[in-house]
Amino acid sequence: MGAPIVIHITQPAVNRIASPDEALETARRLAAQFAATAADRDAERRLPFAELDQLSQSGLLAIAIPMEYGGIDVSNAVLAEVTAILAEADGSIGQIPQNHFYILEALRTDGSEEQQRYFFGRALAGDRFGNALSERGTKTVGHYNTRVTRDGPGYRINGTKYYSTGVLFADWVTVFALNEEDQMVMAFVPKGTEGVEIIDDWDGFGQRTTGSGTTIFNNVYVHADSVVLHHKGFERPTTIGSVGQIIHAGIDLGIARAAFAETLEFVRTKSRPWMNSGVERAADDPLTISKVGQIAIRLEAATALIEHAGRKVDAAQIETTEATVVEATLAVVAAKVLTTEVALEASSTLFELAGTSSVQIGLNLDRHWRNARTHTLHDPVRWKYHVVGNYHLNGVIPPKNGAL
């Protein structure tokens, strides 16, 4: 393959995860480390470069690679649960690899044999892929101004991207742009390529350390073999959108679990009972107990629904037809809706049950609500209800795009 040569600094050998159980155990081990400093990272907006290096070295970023290319091709249910484990520890760290895994799925779906062999190999070696997709000032979020045009044996890329999650930490800037036929392509640009400017200007009140800043492409050259025809993945039934979305659902589930755990700890150890409750401990308040049960049940339902949706996506990857892809899409949509709602509910209920003392700035418990509110804006849940209703009522097949 004629992909651009990238100089990689010698690093410790990347672990090769051998099974889904090992993937989950590795995620739990890393999560325990990440959780210990997550609140401080958020408060200080300290970007998790070291933590992302640990994630790469662990082998977790390669678990979705197909077996024929050296990966273990884990179930999408496991991929989502690994994401949830990491996001429970630190919502930002849980989100950063989402684009990496989306890119791997797009490569699996539409990359050439040579592209798959090369870039899957780079992921197995610990390389990270960041996503330069979203733009501002376009007619809708689905329109793009960034262009890729022919230049001899390769292409030139010009444009500006915003919300470039993962690019600051990436070895490859994966840019989505329109070619001369107005078709969407996905181009792998090595970090440090001349003409690429990465600006750390993300100032959202939540997911503060995702590094989702601006990426500018000024006449950037990319080799033709590093350009994937991404539009093909939405001209036929594929699982690209479902894989991307089930990971987003895992992020929200993790944030919800984190908020719920904080609620339990605070109510048990710090909260005072309401004066009319007739109990000595806040944890014995029957209304508090009921509300905790409500959140616990919804978390259990969200977990089960993600697992169910993951199996549907697995089936659609094995036998990719209109019918199997629609089944997967609808199941993932349901999971994404429920995890969105439980993340917002759990992170708000934390303060309702914990009481006024829980809002102290030094505790930084509000990061869970801020993370939930910010991440759940990724795409509108109200349109997911519409997609499901329109299918069942009118037989309208869900649109083919990365948000479904």
Side-chain angles (χ1 to χ4, degrees), residues 45-278:
R45 198 180 174 274
R46 192 169 70 238
L47 297 177
F49 286 100
E51 288 77 10
L52 265 292
D53 285 343
Q54 287 181 268
L55 197 56
S56 289
Q57 293 301 316
S58 75
L60 280 176
L61 297 185
I63 59 175
I65 292 173
M67 291 183 181
E68 58 266 33
Y69 294 98
I72 60 170
D73 197 15
V74 294
S75 164
N76 288 282
V78 172
L79 182 59
E81 179 60 22
V82 164
T83 301
I85 291 169
L86 295 173
E88 181 176 359
D90 184 318
S92 290
I93 290 177
Q95 182 182 348
I96 291 167
Q98 190 276 338
N99 296 297
H100 173 92
F101 287 116
Y102 175 92
I103 289 160
L104 292 181
E105 176 65 6
L107 184 66
R108 185 194 70 82
T109 300
D110 288 313
S112 68
E113 171 69 24
E114 293 78 10
Q115 288 170 329
Q116 291 173 349
R117 187 183 307 114
Y118 182 80
F119 289 111
F120 285 150
R122 291 315 319 159
L124 286 166
D127 283 9
R128 299 188 289 266
F129 302 106
N131 184 344
L133 172 66
S134 297
E135 299 185 16
R136 293 177 185 164
T138 55
K139 182 179 179 180
T140 73
V141 295
H143 288 81
Y144 305 95
N145 291 325
T146 300
R147 288 284 174 173
V148 55
T149 54
R150 278 283 183 183
D151 182 7
Y155 295 89
R156 295 283 178 179
I157 304 173
N158 286 279
T160 301
K161 298 290 188 176
Y162 302 91
Y163 317 121
S164 305
T165 301
V167 166
L168 273 173
F169 314 99
D171 299 284
W172 298 85
V173 179
T174 313
V175 57
F176 294 79
L178 299 179
N179 64 16
E180 289 151 329
E181 287 76 43
D182 285 337
Q183 298 165 325
M184 178 67 75
V185 302
M186 179 176 75
F188 292 86
V189 179
K191 194 158 186 187
T193 297
E194 183 179 358
V196 178
E197 182 181 3
I198 300 172
I199 305 172
D200 178 21
D201 59 355
W202 168 244
D203 64 351
F205 63 64
Q207 299 296 82
R208 298 186 68 220
T209 62
T210 57
S212 302
T214 300
T215 309
I216 300 171
F217 300 89
N218 184 16
N219 211 34
V220 174
Y221 184 80
V222 60
H223 197 283
D225 285 347
S226 293
V227 177
V228 175
L229 300 179
H230 189 51
H231 66 91
K232 291 167 55 181
F234 302 107
E235 293 173 352
R236 69 190 196 282
T238 69
T239 53
I240 295 174
S242 292
V243 169
Q245 285 287 299
I246 200 170
I247 299 170
H248 278 304
I251 296 164
D252 292 334
L253 177 60
I255 294 171
R257 287 175 178 171
F260 185 64
E262 298 272 24
T263 304
L264 298 181
E265 176 65 16
F266 208 98
V267 170
R268 285 171 182 155
T269 63
K270 298 182 179 67
S271 296
R272 294 177 296 171
W274 183 238
M275 56 187 174
N276 299 128
S277 65

Side-chain angles (χ1 to χ4, degrees), residues 9 16 28 33 47 125 149 156 159 167 223 226 238 241 249 310 336 351 360 370 388 392:
I9 298 172
R16 287 291 184 95
R28 294 187 190 104
Q33 299 175 38
L47 297 177
T149 54
R156 295 283 178 179
V167 166
H223 197 283
S226 293
T238 69
K336 184 63 168 59
F351 301 102
Q360 296 175 72
R370 290 186 286 103
V388 173
H392 287 290

